[in-house]
């Protein structure tokens, strides 16, 4: 099968060309296709003479970015992505060597001889100030339960000015997350803020916005800004707090209801509770009844209703007045 046909089946030519333009790859489509085809197997098929180790790692980043953005996982492309790292390491690329060393050290079943050599390679790269080696060491330290040590490695990676924006942001995000989980809020905030400030892909930091929204609680405008950024990029955990913020602080039932409806569509119980609160505030007991019926279809929803006894009393009184009712449709869509 030709490389052109393989790529056409797995990655549309136009899509790959867009990524090559985005990553500023100064090579022909033909050479890129030949390289990806050569990396479908672990065999050392000769790469085009125009392709350098840096190019090979860039192709790896392209496939990784494509996978993360689309959520599309293909076994063949995953194999190609792994083999690109192998080939780049064979060509002497330090980042590829660091990645392979990290994989060996993360695998508990790796032979002792392999782990010793991998540790040596990673240490050598850190001694040379290689940023990705520090980041990988941070991952390994965190996985082993050494959170403070992990933070130090991530900070060293940041300080050594890595070229890959996504990896830089991941280090800042990890520093923020570890400190946040350890309740070191004053250390978490600047890491999250810098991650948000430098990120080229806003989806990568949507949870950073969410955590910042929680940390900045006294400043309602700042909280709204960060929750909106998180929600706008699809973080469903932000829908309910944003809706309640609009409802209880900004007194904007219309916007609150829009976010609650969006959250309810993805199964967020708190968003259904938010809808219930708004419909009762609007004296729309019929719609409130529909929300209650929906909540009662799940154990979590039934438990959540225990905190709304007055709402249940009001709906029960409404039912006694009107008699048995058919199911009420509360799924009306909204434009946003």
């Amino acid at each position: 099968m030709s490389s052109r046909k393989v790529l056409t089946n797995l990655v549309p030519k136009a899509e790959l060309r867009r990524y090559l333009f985005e990553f500023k790859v100064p090579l022909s489509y033909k050479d890129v296709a030949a390289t990806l085809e050569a990396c479908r197997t672990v065999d050392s098929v000769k790469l085009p003479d125009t392709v350098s180790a840096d190019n090979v790692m860039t192709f790896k980043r392209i496939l990784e970015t494509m996978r993360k953005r689309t959520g599309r996982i293909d076994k063949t492309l995953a194999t190609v992505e792994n083999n690109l790292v192998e080939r780049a390491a064979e060509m002497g690329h330090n980042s590829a060597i660091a990645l392979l060393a990290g994989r060996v050290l993360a695998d508990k079943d790796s032979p002792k001889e392999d782990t010793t050599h991998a540790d040596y390679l990673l240490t050598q790269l850190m001694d040379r100030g290689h940023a990705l080696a520090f980041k990988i060491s941070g991952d390994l330290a965190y996985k082993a339960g050494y959170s403070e040590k992990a933070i130090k490695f991530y900070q060293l990676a940041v300080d050594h000015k890595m070229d890959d924006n996504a990896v830089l942001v991941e280090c800042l995000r990890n520093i923020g997350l570890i400190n946040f989980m350890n309740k070191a809020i004053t250390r978490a905030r600047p890491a999250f803020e810098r991650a948000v400030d430098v990120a080229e892909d806003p989806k990568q930091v949507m949870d950073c916005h969410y955590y910042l929204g929680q940390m900045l609680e006294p400043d309602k405008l700042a909280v709204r800004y960060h929750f909106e950024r998180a929600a706008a990029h699809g973080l469903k955990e932000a829908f309910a707090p944003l809706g309640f913020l609009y409802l209880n602080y900004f007194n904007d039932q219309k916007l609150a209801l829009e976010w609650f409806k969006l959250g309810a569509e993805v199964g967020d119980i708190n968003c259904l509770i938010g809808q219930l609160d708004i419909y009762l505030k609007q004296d729309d007991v019929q719609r409130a009844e529909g929300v209650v019926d929906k909540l009662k279809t799940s154990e979590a929803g039934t438990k959540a209703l225990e905190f709304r006894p007055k709402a249940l009393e009001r709906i029960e009184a409404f039912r006694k007045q009107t008699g048995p009712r058919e199911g009420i449709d509360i799924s009306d869509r909204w434009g946003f």
Side-chain angles (χ1 to χ4, degrees):
M1 185 181 291
S2 71
S3 59
R4 183 178 294 276
K5 189 172 182 181
V6 169
L7 285 173
T8 300
N9 289 340
L10 299 178
V11 185
K13 184 175 181 179
E15 182 181 0
L16 182 57
R17 282 190 179 279
R18 285 196 298 271
Y19 278 102
L20 294 175
F21 178 78
E22 178 183 341
F23 282 79
K24 299 179 174 61
V25 177
L27 297 172
S28 68
Y29 177 84
K30 180 180 178 181
D31 284 347
V32 175
T35 302
L36 296 181
E37 174 65 16
C39 291
R40 289 183 67 220
T41 67
V42 293
D43 300 330
S44 295
V45 179
K46 188 177 186 304
L47 303 184
D49 293 336
T50 56
V51 176
S52 67
D54 280 339
N55 295 146
V56 174
M57 283 302 288
T58 300
F59 301 156
K60 183 265 180 191
R61 287 173 55 206
I62 287 175
L63 293 184
E64 180 182 21
T65 302
M66 190 182 303
R67 170 170 49 81
K68 289 179 178 179
R69 287 182 184 174
T70 64
R72 186 174 67 225
I73 299 176
D74 178 89
K75 185 177 180 181
T76 301
L77 288 179
T79 299
V80 171
E81 189 178 327
N82 286 330
N83 289 342
L84 285 167
V85 179
E86 296 270 1
R87 293 300 294 272
E90 290 172 5
M91 298 166 75
H93 197 284
N94 285 336
S95 292
I97 293 170
L99 286 171
L100 291 181
R103 289 178 189 174
V104 171
L105 291 170
D107 185 355
K108 293 181 180 178
D109 295 326
S110 295
K112 177 66 175 176
E113 182 180 351
D114 289 352
T115 58
T116 300
H117 184 59
D119 185 65
Y120 169 77
L121 290 174
L122 205 57
T123 301
Q124 287 288 101
L125 288 171
M126 286 191 288
D127 288 343
R128 298 176 198 164
H130 189 69
L132 184 59
F134 288 119
K135 189 268 179 188
I136 291 170
S137 296
D139 292 342
L140 293 169
Y142 183 73
K143 185 177 179 181
Y146 300 107
S147 60
E148 286 300 320
K149 192 173 182 180
I151 289 174
K152 290 179 181 178
F153 278 127
Y154 289 137
Q155 188 60 56
L156 283 168
V158 172
D159 293 342
H160 281 80
K161 301 178 182 178
M162 61 181 62
D163 296 328
D164 190 329
N165 181 264
V167 179
L168 168 62
V169 171
E170 186 178 348
C171 288
L172 290 167
R173 177 179 170 276
N174 289 347
I175 292 170
L177 283 172
I178 294 172
N179 280 311
F180 185 84
M181 289 186 292
N182 291 340
K183 296 182 172 55
I185 304 303
T186 56
R187 293 170 61 188
R189 178 177 170 179
F192 284 139
E193 288 178 334
R194 187 175 173 196
V196 165
D197 187 50
V198 303
E200 294 175 358
D201 182 0
K203 286 189 176 181
Q204 190 182 0
V205 291
M206 56 186 179
D207 60 343
C208 297
H209 281 294
Y210 179 63
Y211 291 120
L212 283 168
Q214 295 178 59
M215 286 186 278
L216 298 172
E217 177 57 33
D219 185 345
K220 300 298 183 182
L221 290 175
V223 172
R224 181 177 67 179
Y225 169 79
H226 287 293
F227 280 166
E228 282 183 340
R229 297 286 74 72
H233 291 294
L235 189 71
K236 64 181 182 180
E237 290 83 358
F239 296 157
L242 183 57
F244 281 112
L245 184 66
Y246 271 115
L247 176 62
N248 298 323
Y249 185 81
F250 293 104
N251 196 29
D252 190 330
Q253 293 184 10
K254 182 180 178 181
L255 274 178
L257 189 58
E258 287 176 349
W259 287 112
F260 286 145
K261 285 183 178 180
L262 184 59
E265 287 180 0
V266 294
D268 190 318
I269 297 297
N270 289 324
C271 285
L272 283 169
I273 291 293
Q275 283 184 274
L276 173 63
D277 290 349
I278 289 179
Y279 290 142
L280 290 177
K281 282 178 179 288
Q282 296 174 344
D283 292 323
D284 191 343
V285 186
Q286 184 172 327
R287 284 189 180 279
E289 181 185 16
V291 175
V292 168
D293 289 341
K294 192 169 184 179
L295 282 164
K296 286 182 176 180
T297 61
S298 71
E299 183 179 348
T302 301
K303 190 170 184 63
L305 284 172
E306 294 177 3
F307 297 92
R308 293 293 190 279
K310 291 184 178 179
L312 292 177
E313 290 173 7
R314 188 172 172 187
I315 289 169
E316 184 59 30
F318 173 76
R319 283 176 171 165
K320 287 179 180 178
Q321 275 187 332
T322 58
R325 304 183 62 82
E326 297 295 327
I328 300 168
D329 181 16
I330 61 164
S331 62
D332 52 314
R333 301 279 175 163
W334 51 274
F336 195 60

